[in-house]
Amino acid sequence: MTETVRRTALVLGAGGMAGAGWMIGVLHGLAEAGTDLTTADLIVGSSAGAVVGAQVASGKFALDALYESQLTAPDGELPARLGPGGILRYTLAVLTSRTPEAYGRKLGRLAGAARTVAPEVRREVVAGRLGPAADWPERPRLLITAVDADSGELTAHDRDAGVPLTDAVTASCAIPGIWPVVELAGRRWIDGGVHSTANAHLAAGCERVVVIAPSATGNKVILSPARQGADLAAAGARVEVITPDAESRQVFGQGSLDPALRVPAARAGRAQAAAHARAVADLWAQ
């Protein structure tokens, strides 16, 4: 990575359909206030953030048009819900793991045993989200995270990885127990948000970093976006971490995987952007 590429980074986290809408709302609101974060030299996307990252990195979507698209009916999407049994399995996996890799292995086994839609059906849905953003951009550098279902290790695919962008994004969005494991490059992959909800550590070395994370959570295994942001700051970066405010959390509380929540989440994100506009502008203008 060259010095120019290392200057600024935009990190987009995991958070389901509602999270994608919320992040686009935040990005649009910040752009309306005068700061376009899509000019970042590096974009890191995990799960929902992988979709949004691919969209904004492609240069094929104006932010205002992308925001307006979030306010329409999400045709072609598959409804999903993690039931009480799934939540219990996730909780047990956290309680019995000491590292993100151990947690990833447990969720990899859960994902492999789950009954889901066919992989090709799920890939078609993700391809529909990406639309014209189906190819890796030359710039900015785009990192799409996924977790190896067998080793539990995090990988960040980029244009040099030799895998199609649509497949990399599908892998990053493969929520264990809900969507099928993705077979890619001879390995089996699950959601990049399993390692952490932001994976902001991948922006290490950048001078200025903005993290937009629909999920602010962390636990004894997974570092929160705030903790990862603090680690980047301790290493010398200027960092702004944006997570949902009270109004946005009310939307997410209804179920972040529900496609119908994309509309209110996008509006909540746009409204919340005003509270961060000055801090982000000051950071990005340096």
Side-chain angles (χ1 to χ4, degrees):
M1 185 187 292
T2 66
E3 186 64 25
T4 299
V5 172
R6 296 179 71 89
R7 191 170 298 143
T8 57
L10 170 63
V11 177
L12 300 165
M17 288 291 292
W22 178 80
M23 286 185 284
I24 290 170
V26 172
L27 288 169
H28 177 52
L30 291 173
E32 287 182 308
T35 305
D36 182 1
L37 295 181
T38 67
T39 62
D41 300 310
L42 170 68
I43 296 178
V44 179
S46 297
S47 199
V51 176
V52 179
Q55 289 171 328
V56 300
S58 71
K60 299 186 185 281
F61 296 93
L63 273 178
D64 56 353
L66 189 58
Y67 173 75
E68 290 299 324
S69 73
Q70 303 304 295
L71 306 182
T72 61
D75 294 335
E77 290 292 341
L78 301 172
R81 179 176 176 270
L82 188 64
I87 294 173
L88 176 60
R89 293 184 184 94
Y90 272 64
T91 301
L92 290 174
V94 167
L95 294 175
T96 57
S97 299
R98 294 186 176 181
T99 66
E101 291 76 22
Y103 180 59
R105 289 192 294 272
K106 288 181 171 64
L107 290 191
R109 290 193 290 272
L110 183 156
R115 293 184 177 180
T116 67
V117 300
E120 60 271 19
V121 172
R122 175 60 177 164
R123 186 187 188 279
E124 183 178 354
V125 171
V126 175
R129 293 179 187 173
L130 296 180
D135 297 317
W136 289 100
E138 291 188 12
R139 285 187 54 82
R141 187 183 184 203
L142 175 64
L143 299 182
I144 301 296
T145 69
V147 168
D148 187 300
D150 300 305
S151 71
E153 295 179 352
L154 179 72
T155 291
H157 293 108
D158 64 10
R159 66 176 287 111
D160 297 325
V163 301
L165 177 58
T166 299
D167 291 325
V169 174
T170 304
S172 190
C173 295
I175 302 172
I178 294 180
W179 305 124
V181 174
V182 173
E183 296 187 6
L184 182 63
R187 297 165 72 180
R188 301 166 64 249
W189 303 98
I190 57 175
D191 196 294
V194 166
H195 190 271
S196 79
T197 59
N199 292 309
H201 64 289
L202 295 175
C206 293
E207 298 171 0
R208 289 168 280 145
V209 183
V210 175
V211 181
I212 304 177
S215 174
T217 60
N219 52 52
K220 73 183 187 72
V221 177
I222 295 174
L223 295 183
S224 69
R227 170 62 186 276
Q228 291 188 323
D231 289 344
L232 290 172
R238 295 191 61 194
V239 184
E240 180 74 12
V241 177
I242 302 174
T243 56
D245 60 12
E247 289 75 15
S248 297
R249 288 196 300 271
Q250 285 186 335
V251 176
F252 285 99
Q254 301 173 53
S256 64
L257 299 179
D258 185 351
L261 295 180
R262 187 177 73 178
V263 174
R267 288 176 174 149
R270 182 186 185 186
Q272 184 179 341
H276 304 275
R278 175 61 64 85
V280 170
D282 290 346
L283 182 152
W284 215 245
Q286 295 298 315

